[in-house]
Amino acid sequence: MTDPALAADRRRETGIWPLIHAERAALAVDLAGLTDEQWETPSLCAGLTVREVLAHLTAGASLNALRWMAGVLRCRFDFDRQVALRLAEQLGGAPGDTLDRFRRVVLSTTKPPLPALAMLGETVVHGEDIRRPLGIRRDHPVKVATRTAEFYRGSDLTVVAKGRIGGLRLVADDGPFTAGSGPLVSGPTVALIMAMTGREAYCDDLDGDGVEILRSRCTSRR
C-alpha cells in the first residue's frame, strides 16, 4: 500500500519539473549566439565564467544519486572537488559544445539526491549568475520566483540562505512572497532570491532598513 505522504511528495515533485524544464529552455535561448568573449565573462559565481556555470547546470541534470555517491567517494567527501570534476566533464572543447550539452538535458529529470525544488532553485539562481553579467534580463514567472524564494527561505541545503536572512523581514513587491521579521528588505522576488543566496550585486535592486545588513552577509557561493 502506498504511503499517502510519499504519494503527495511525488505529485509535488512532478509538478516542479515542467517549471525546471521551462527555465532551462529559456536559458538556452538566451545564450544562443554569444561570442567566445562573452562565454568567458566572469559570472556571479565566484571564480567561474558563464560557460563554466552552464556546464555546472548540465552536470546537475546528468547526475543521479548513484553517480553522485560514486563521485563523493572518489573525491573522498571533498564536495567542492566533486563539483569541479563534474563541471569539467560537461564543459566540452568549445563554447558551442557546452551549450549543446546543456540543450540535451533541458528535459532531463535526472538529479542528485536533492528535492526537485532545489533543482528549480539551482536553475533560477545559476541562470541569473549567467545573465546579469551579460546584461540579459529574464522576467521569471511569478509562480516560479515565489516557489524558489519559499524554498530558500527555509533551507541551507545547497547554499546558505535561511541562515543569511535571519532577523530580517523580506517582502516582494511583485508577488506574494514574504518571510521573517525584523528590518525590512523589499524588492523584486528574484532580487530577494539572489541576495539571500549570497549575490551582493542584487542588493542594489532592494530597498529597506535591512538591505545593508543583508549586503554584509553576502558572498557568492555555488
Side-chain angles (χ1 to χ4, degrees):
M1 184 174 180
T2 302
D3 184 322
L6 181 59
D9 284 344
R10 286 174 177 167
R11 287 194 296 272
R12 281 192 291 270
E13 292 240 329
T14 299
I16 295 298
W17 284 110
L19 307 182
I20 296 169
H21 296 160
E23 288 298 315
R24 288 175 182 163
L27 182 59
V29 169
D30 283 345
L31 300 182
L34 291 188
T35 66
D36 287 350
E37 183 179 5
Q38 286 175 307
W39 279 111
E40 296 307 310
T41 301
S43 75
L44 296 186
C45 240
L48 297 182
T49 65
V50 297
R51 181 184 169 199
E52 289 169 331
V53 175
L54 191 68
H56 172 63
L57 282 173
T58 304
S62 308
L63 196 61
N64 61 25
L66 185 61
R67 288 193 68 226
W68 178 85
M69 181 53 69
V72 168
L73 294 174
R74 177 181 173 185
C75 295
R76 299 175 182 268
F77 292 88
D78 183 335
F79 293 101
D80 286 340
R81 184 183 170 196
Q82 152 96 325
V83 168
L85 173 70
R86 298 306 185 185
L87 184 161
E89 288 176 351
Q90 299 298 337
L91 199 59
D97 299 330
T98 311
L99 183 55
D100 285 343
R101 289 173 185 225
F102 180 70
R103 285 172 172 151
R104 289 198 288 270
V105 300
V106 163
L107 297 180
S108 170
T109 55
T110 299
K111 65 181 180 66
L114 295 170
L117 267 174
M119 298 297 287
L120 179 62
E122 287 271 293
T123 308
V124 170
V125 170
H126 286 318
E128 291 301 301
D129 284 338
I130 289 169
R131 287 186 179 98
R132 184 151 180 144
L134 293 171
I136 298 171
R137 178 180 173 82
R138 170 164 169 75
D139 292 323
H140 297 270
V142 172
K143 178 181 179 180
V144 170
T146 302
R147 295 193 78 164
T148 302
E150 290 287 353
F151 169 71
Y152 282 121
R153 68 168 286 190
S155 176
D156 288 329
L157 182 62
T158 57
V159 64
V160 175
K162 178 183 177 181
R164 183 173 282 115
I165 61 173
L168 297 173
R169 179 175 175 238
L170 276 57
V171 178
D173 63 12
D174 61 352
F177 175 72
T178 62
S181 61
L184 177 67
V185 180
S186 68
T189 310
V190 169
L192 292 171
I193 292 167
M194 297 302 288
M196 77 170 83
T197 56
R199 278 62 177 180
E200 183 181 356
Y202 280 82
C203 290
D204 295 341
D205 300 341
L206 301 172
D207 295 304
D209 294 340
V211 172
E212 293 310 311
I213 298 172
L214 183 55
R215 187 190 299 274
S216 72
R217 299 174 181 176
C218 281
T219 57
S220 269
R221 294 175 178 229
R222 286 191 293 280

